[in-house]
Amino acid sequence: MKTLTILALLALAACATAEPPRQAVPMTAAVDALFERLRATASAEEAEALQLAILDAFQDSGRDDVDTLVGAGLAAVQEGQPIAAIALFSEVVERAPTFAEGWNLRGLAHFINQDYADALEDLRRALVLEPRHFGALVGLGRTLEELGHRDLALEALRAALVINPHLAEARAYADGLEEQLAGVAI
């Protein structure tokens, strides 16, 4: 794994608000508005509803065949079958290579299968296509930690929290990493 590649990815993620998404199904002005409201809201209930709406938009490829494969892949993940999920999500990215969620989900399946190098590459591709994908950024953080790069993991989590400050688990995870890193420096 090349540190420069990771740093370039994190720089791209940090600029998420400056660069429009380049997804197969362009994010609409309505989705852009959801992101704006998500960053601005103080209501936990509203934040959860906004997150779900954004995630629904991410999972809509605009193609029935791809969406069916996504559903089957998610079922395989839930059933604890990461190899089957990887195969299904590989078909998704083959059919729709500019569909960010396909790459994110295959990255998740690789992560579950403890194939961190492939997870990292798929998450990188997802973030190139949709830099605001806070789920991919959290996945990137977890993957980087598994690879022993806690400082970069923390940067990825911080980038996710800039985009979506309502990720309580990611905030707790980032706080834990900060404490670990502070302990290492002492």
Side-chain angles (χ1 to χ4, degrees), residues 138 141-142 145-146 153 157 168-178:
V138 171
R142 293 190 181 272
E145 184 186 21
E146 288 295 330
L157 292 167
E169 288 182 30
R171 184 168 308 286
Y173 189 45
D175 290 347
L177 281 175
E178 280 181 4

Side-chain angles (χ1 to χ4, degrees), residues 32-46:
D32 293 339
L34 291 173
F35 273 106
E36 300 269 332
R37 287 177 48 205
L38 181 62
R39 278 192 294 275
T41 189
S43 164
E45 295 81 19
E46 182 182 18

Side-chain angles (χ1 to χ4, degrees), residues 11-22 36 39 130-132 162-163:
L12 172 67
C15 298
T17 57
E19 186 173 321
R22 297 177 302 261
E36 300 269 332
R39 278 192 294 275
E130 178 49 81
R132 301 174 298 182
V162 166
I163 295 164

Side-chain angles (χ1 to χ4, degrees), residues 3-99:
T3 303
L4 290 177
T5 302
I6 294 168
L7 292 174
L9 172 61
L10 291 173
L12 172 67
C15 298
T17 57
E19 186 173 321
R22 297 177 302 261
Q23 191 160 321
V25 178
M27 292 290 120
T28 65
V31 174
D32 293 339
L34 291 173
F35 273 106
E36 300 269 332
R37 287 177 48 205
L38 181 62
R39 278 192 294 275
T41 189
S43 164
E45 295 81 19
E46 182 182 18
E48 185 164 336
L50 292 166
Q51 287 175 154
L52 290 174
I54 291 167
L55 293 173
D56 282 346
F58 283 170
Q59 287 190 356
D60 182 8
S61 71
R63 292 181 46 184
D64 290 340
D65 61 327
V66 172
D67 292 345
T68 298
L69 287 166
V70 166
L74 288 170
V77 166
Q78 290 175 344
E79 294 167 4
Q81 300 175 355
I83 302 294
I86 290 167
L88 289 161
F89 295 137
S90 292
E91 184 67 23
V92 167
V93 300
E94 185 176 310
R95 290 183 188 196
T98 60
F99 176 50

Side-chain angles (χ1 to χ4, degrees), residues 141 144-145 147-155 177 180-181 184:
L144 288 167
E145 184 186 21
L147 291 169
H149 299 284
R150 289 185 290 172
D151 54 337
L152 295 174
L154 180 58
E155 288 183 47
L177 281 175
Q180 290 175 16
L181 289 169
V184 168

Side-chain angles (χ1 to χ4, degrees), residues 96-148:
T98 60
F99 176 50
E101 186 64 3
W103 295 103
N104 176 58
L105 291 172
R106 192 171 77 171
L108 168 67
H110 280 303
F111 180 86
I112 292 168
N113 199 46
Q114 299 180 346
D115 183 353
Y116 303 122
D118 285 341
L120 194 64
E121 176 59 20
D122 283 351
L123 293 167
R124 181 193 68 79
R125 287 176 177 242
L127 288 165
V128 165
L129 292 165
E130 178 49 81
R132 301 174 298 182
H133 200 307
F134 48 85
L137 282 165
V138 171
L140 177 65
R142 293 190 181 272
T143 303
L144 288 167
E145 184 186 21
E146 288 295 330
L147 291 169

